[in-house]
Amino acid sequence: AQTVTQSQPEMSVQEAETVTLSCTYDTSESDYYLFWYKQPPSRQMILVIRQEAYKQQNATENRFSVNFQKAAKSFSLKISDSQLGDAAMYFCAYRSPGNFGNEKLTFGTGTRLTIIP
Amino acid sequence: NAGVMQNPRHLVRRRGQEARLRCSPMKGHSHVYWYRQLPEEGLKFMVYLQKENIIDESGMPKERFSAEFPKEGPSILRIQQVVRGDSAAYFCASSPLTGPYGYTFGSGTRLTVV
């Protein structure tokens, strides 16, 4: 079974600075998908960024980028120019490629990000 | 194009009562997933359904919990004889098909058992 580990329960960063959230995972599969979700106090789960394992290029979405190290099974999220609206819980998630009905997401325990004005 | 709609947003039940949580997937989505989030924890998979079929229920407790996704109407997560430990946020997500898509999540139903 796949597992996802987020070793930083809490992180804080000064507004406008850069912060990196860590995520490691364990799997025997060669093809899979990885995601970062944001959960603000409203509780809504918002997809931040996704990465296909077969792509070597790191995904980027505006101020959000990932450092995907497949051999190390590491998938960190970098937030540049942090803004107050980035304050939230961030969850890393793993998904199998989708054959045979096993498309569920496996989540890490989350990192609470605080932005310091 | 409305997102994934869950209702109610908040639900309070006394111990022993039944809780029914509803989820309407995004238009065009035929795959529904239910997740449970206990306080200060990540989301845990419960069940994956397609129309009229349960595909994977490996995360569902063996007793008191059931889920359905009928041909017409929303998906329903039903919890019978609720206990205090069932208090949690229950999220529904939908997707159109398999592939590199992240799901679209609803806003969740917070169940409180008193």
Side-chain angles (χ1 to χ4, degrees):
Chain A
Q2 293 81 20
T3 59
V4 178
T5 301
Q6 293 180 251
S7 58
Q8 305 156 314
E10 296 182 355
M11 292 281 285
S12 60
V13 63
Q14 206 80 31
E15 192 176 2
E17 296 295 310
T18 295
V19 64
T20 298
L21 309 184
S22 301
C23 172
T24 58
Y25 57 94
D26 188 27
T27 184
S28 57
E29 297 173 320
S30 59
D31 192 20
Y32 47 86
Y33 307 107
L34 297 166
F35 305 89
W36 278 97
Y37 279 88
K38 170 185 177 182
Q39 187 179 43
S42 67
R43 215 170 62 211
Q44 178 73 47
M45 293 291 287
I46 301 165
L47 177 64
V48 175
I49 199 166
R50 63 175 172 84
Q51 175 82 41
E52 290 97 321
Y54 65 86
K55 289 187 177 179
Q56 292 186 341
Q57 186 174 5
N58 289 324
T60 299
E61 290 287 342
N62 300 313
R63 299 183 294 107
F64 299 86
S65 61
V66 299
N67 182 5
F68 174 48
Q69 301 289 328
K70 191 173 183 180
K73 296 180 182 175
S74 171
F75 183 60
S76 60
L77 175 70
K78 185 171 83 171
I79 306 174
S80 304
D81 185 25
S82 298
Q83 301 175 0
L84 294 177
D86 295 334
M89 283 289 287
Y90 285 82
F91 293 98
C92 179
Y94 173 102
R95 180 182 182 183
S96 294
N99 299 321
F100 313 116
N102 57 350
E103 296 87 347
K104 63 190 176 195
L105 286 173
T106 300
F107 285 88
T109 52
T111 297
R112 184 177 303 279
L113 178 65
T114 300
I115 310 296
I116 303 167
Chain B
N1 185 14
V4 177
M5 304 302 292
Q6 285 190 252
N7 65 80
R9 183 108 166 108
H10 301 277
L11 182 62
V12 179
R13 284 288 177 265
R14 296 187 183 277
R15 281 178 293 172
Q17 290 184 320
E18 178 179 288
R20 279 181 177 250
L21 287 62
R22 294 175 183 76
C23 169
S24 296
M26 283 188 70
K27 187 176 181 181
H29 287 194
S30 57
H31 300 232
V32 166
Y33 311 80
W34 285 94
Y35 288 80
R36 176 164 64 176
Q37 184 179 31
L38 295 171
E40 302 303 317
E41 292 189 13
L43 278 70
K44 293 289 189 342
F45 170 78
M46 298 182 75
V47 62
Y48 163 39
L49 310 102
Q50 296 178 12
K51 286 281 188 181
E52 300 182 282
N53 281 306
I54 297 175
I55 306 302
D56 181 355
E57 56 181 347
S58 58
M60 287 278 272
K62 297 299 181 195
E63 298 181 352
R64 301 189 297 109
F65 285 72
S66 62
E68 63 177 5
F69 188 18
K71 186 176 180 180
E72 300 292 337
S75 175
I76 305 288
L77 179 66
R78 183 183 178 203
I79 311 172
Q80 295 177 290
Q81 300 174 337
V82 296
V83 301
R84 289 248 171 90
D86 296 332
S87 296
Y90 292 83
F91 287 89
C92 171
S94 71
S95 68
L97 41 71
T98 58
Y101 303 101
Y103 307 156
T104 301
F105 279 87
S107 298
T109 293
R110 182 173 294 284
L111 172 65
T112 301
V113 179
V114 297

